[in-house]
């Protein structure tokens, strides 16, 4: 048997090891120089946001916000492939099937975090290098600065899994120029690299190989103001030449997007796309036909209403919608078809837009009384 001294050594050794082994944690939170740094560290899961990660990130942001020695917050992902590919949707789906509270708690805590980012008093810099979708958009888009790279892949693909572009999508999407936001929300269209900047989602574009240097320079800033941080980001941005000459991928389609996606109902959008008949319109029609009809109707209304709401009002509305999705059929079926069985052939109920009544959609937007999101 170990004597007390040896036992203490073993315990200390164990503590030291567990501290070093902490690089296996799903999210790393550290203070370097004047910067608080959040590193999403689930590379195998493309840094998907889990409930425990949300529970760690939120209080840390709040702490740094109060700390006079923290001047900015940086959020990034590990592994080189993704910033954050979304929320842990399979876990939520599994929870919903057995009536577990995670279906309420996950969205509630996630939206409280999204709001904390949107109202953060310290400059918040998201390095959105790689896949940035769904929950990853919520972790970045509401902050002061979003730095895209040539590897950034942005999408809000929720209508394909019986959900809707949440995490404040109802706030930022209708505020993009023209009807780009409506187009992105309904079709799940993917934007890459500099196009993420041109669409107005990113604020800066920097080559991914320059990010370590940029991060080092951000950390080294002495008591910087938001302007100082913007100046530093701009200096990197103007030096980035990758794809500088390429025109915006949606440029040639903007006129069509603005007219076709400005209709008042999903049925009308579909009708306009059919009447247009161009290769672009046909392609969007094919995409929309694969999406959950319920999600499409919910999303169109979400964006229309969100266009004139505050971020807090939008998140409250979206929380109601998540709970409607959790009570429904399409979310579980969409997750099954796209993420679990991967047969890509969801059987939506109802299967046609015409079968989703206005009354049903109205119900999804109804307040939840004591269960409403409080921000």
């Amino acid at each position: 048997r170990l004597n007390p001294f040896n036992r203490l050594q073993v315990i200390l050794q164990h503590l030291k090891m567990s501290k070093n082994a902490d690089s296996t944690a799903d999210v790393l939170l550290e203070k370097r120089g004047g910067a608080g740094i959040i590193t999403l560290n689930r590379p195998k899961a493309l840094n998907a946001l889990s409930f425990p990660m949300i529970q760690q990130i939120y209080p840390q942001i709040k702490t740094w916000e109060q700390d006079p020695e923290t001047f900015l917050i940086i959020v990034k992902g590990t592994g080189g492939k993704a910033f954050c590919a979304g929320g842990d949707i399979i876990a939520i789906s599994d929870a919903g099937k057995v009536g577990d509270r995670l279906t309420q708690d996950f969205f509630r805590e996630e939206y409280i975090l999204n709001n904390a980012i949107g109202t953060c008093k310290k400059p918040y810099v998201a390095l959105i290098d790689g896949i940035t979708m769904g929950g990853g958009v919520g972790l970045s888009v509401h902050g002061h600065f979003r730095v895209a790279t040539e590897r950034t892949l942005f999408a809000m693909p929720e209508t394909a899994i019986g959900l809707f572009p949440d995490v404040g999508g109802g706030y930022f999407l209708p505020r993009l120029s023209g009807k780009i936001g409506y187009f992105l929300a309904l079709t799940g269209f993917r934007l890459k690299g500099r196009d993420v900047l041109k669409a107005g989602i990113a604020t800066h574009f920097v080559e991914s190989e320059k990010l370590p240097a940029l991060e080092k320079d951000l950390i080294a800033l002495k008591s910087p103001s938001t302007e100082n941080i913007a100046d530093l980001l701009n200096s990197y941005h103007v030096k980035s030449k990758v794809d500088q000459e390429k025109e915006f991928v949606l440029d040639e389609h903007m006129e069509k997007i603005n007219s076709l996606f400005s209709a008042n109902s999903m049925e009308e959008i579909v009708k306009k796309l059919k009447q247009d008949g161009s290769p672009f319109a046909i392609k969007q029609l094919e995409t929309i036909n694969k999406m959950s009809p319920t999600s499409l109707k919910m999303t169109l209304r979400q964006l229309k209403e969100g266009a004139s709401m505050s971020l807090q009002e939008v998140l409250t509305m979206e929380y109601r919608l998540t709970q409607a999705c959790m009570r429904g059929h399409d979310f579980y079926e969409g997750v099954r078809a796209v993420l679990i069985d991967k047969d890509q052939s969801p059987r939506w109920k109802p299967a046609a837009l015409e079968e989703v009544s206005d009354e049903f959609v109205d119900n999804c937007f109804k307040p939840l009384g004591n269960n409403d999101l409080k921000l």
Side-chain angles (χ1 to χ4, degrees):
R1 291 186 50 187
L2 295 172
N3 66 39
F5 178 72
N6 288 9
R7 191 181 306 148
L8 183 64
Q9 281 209 300
V10 169
I11 290 169
L12 285 172
Q13 186 61 32
H14 182 72
L15 282 171
K16 196 171 153 198
M17 273 171 59
S18 65
K19 193 172 179 335
N20 292 342
D22 204 44
S23 61
T24 60
D26 286 349
V27 59
L28 311 174
L29 303 161
E30 55 182 330
K31 178 82 193 301
R32 284 169 46 205
I37 301 173
I38 301 163
T39 307
L40 309 174
N41 189 37
R42 292 181 76 198
K44 286 197 177 75
L46 299 176
N47 297 325
L49 191 60
S50 67
F51 189 51
M53 289 163 77
I54 294 168
Q55 290 177 300
Q56 290 171 69
I57 295 168
Y58 173 77
Q60 187 62 75
I61 287 178
K62 286 297 178 196
T63 303
W64 282 333
E65 206 173 15
Q66 299 305 316
D67 173 28
E69 297 302 305
T70 302
F71 297 97
L72 74 153
I73 296 170
I74 298 170
V75 61
K76 60 179 183 167
T78 53
K81 265 190 161 167
F83 165 67
C84 171
D88 210 336
I89 293 295
I90 294 177
I92 299 166
S93 171
D94 290 346
K97 288 179 204 158
V98 295
D100 184 88
R101 276 195 58 96
L102 187 68
T103 53
Q104 296 161 52
D105 297 344
F106 185 97
F107 293 108
R108 188 185 301 276
E109 302 295 325
E110 184 182 26
Y111 293 4
I112 289 170
L113 172 58
N114 297 150
N115 185 55
I117 293 166
T119 55
C120 190
K121 293 182 186 68
K122 300 284 165 83
Y124 183 94
V125 183
L127 306 177
I128 55 170
D129 184 30
I131 300 165
T132 305
M133 296 185 184
V137 175
L139 281 180
S140 53
V141 78
H142 305 298
H144 301 85
F145 304 109
R146 285 89 60 193
V147 181
T149 75
E150 74 282 3
R151 302 195 297 195
T152 304
L153 178 64
F154 165 95
M156 293 297 274
E158 288 80 4
T159 54
I161 55 163
L163 213 52
F164 58 94
D166 65 326
V167 296
Y171 181 78
F172 84 88
L173 288 163
R175 285 169 173 76
L176 298 176
S177 70
K179 292 287 170 182
I180 289 182
Y182 289 80
F183 167 71
L184 295 172
L186 297 168
T187 65
F189 186 87
R190 297 174 167 207
L191 292 170
K192 298 187 179 94
R194 214 176 260 273
D195 287 333
V196 180
L197 173 82
K198 289 177 178 162
I201 293 150
T203 56
H204 295 80
F205 181 89
V206 174
E207 277 103 344
S208 59
E209 62 179 47
K210 299 282 195 321
L211 288 183
L214 171 60
E215 193 183 326
K216 212 172 137 195
D217 286 348
L218 283 167
I219 290 165
L221 289 171
K222 296 277 175 267
S223 346
S225 64
T226 305
E227 288 71 40
N228 300 147
I229 294 163
D231 289 344
L232 177 60
L233 291 171
N234 289 337
S235 74
Y236 272 82
H237 174 81
V238 296
K239 287 190 214 121
S240 292
K241 302 288 181 247
V242 173
D243 293 341
Q244 210 174 22
E245 306 309 312
K246 273 169 98 177
E247 67 164 41
F248 180 42
V249 66
L250 295 175
D251 250 356
E252 54 177 318
H253 306 299
M254 272 324 296
E255 220 173 297
K256 280 196 194 303
I257 287 172
N258 291 341
S259 68
L260 299 171
F261 287 84
S262 62
N264 281 321
S265 69
M266 266 323 295
E267 287 89 341
E268 207 182 321
I269 289 175
V270 166
K271 193 174 138 198
K272 282 182 148 189
L273 287 166
K274 280 180 181 160
Q275 283 170 344
D276 184 276
S278 65
F280 176 76
I282 299 296
K283 202 170 175 198
Q284 305 326 310
L285 198 55
E286 282 169 6
T287 301
I288 283 172
N289 281 334
K290 293 188 181 112
M291 304 304 190
S292 155
T294 302
S295 291
L296 290 167
K297 288 207 165 172
M298 206 184 256
T299 299
L300 185 59
R301 174 154 164 198
Q302 169 208 2
L303 267 56
K304 281 189 182 307
E305 302 211 351
S308 56
M309 287 178 167
S310 67
L311 177 60
Q312 290 71 37
E313 289 166 337
V314 165
L315 290 167
T316 303
M317 164 181 75
E318 290 180 357
Y319 184 73
R320 293 167 184 169
L321 295 179
T322 64
Q323 298 311 293
C325 291
M326 296 304 111
R327 294 192 298 269
H329 163 273
D330 280 5
F331 169 66
Y332 302 99
E333 175 58 12
V335 172
R336 179 204 68 73
V338 176
L339 300 172
I340 299 172
D341 298 341
K342 300 187 176 163
D343 57 31
Q344 311 302 331
S345 27
R347 291 179 285 282
W348 305 123
K349 283 185 196 161
L353 285 168
E354 296 69 33
E355 294 166 23
V356 183
S357 70
D358 291 347
E359 188 188 5
F360 176 83
V361 178
D362 288 345
N363 264 329
C364 298
F365 284 80
K366 285 215 170 94
L368 300 170
N370 286 337
N371 291 326
D372 254 334
L373 177 67
K374 293 164 193 71
L375 293 170

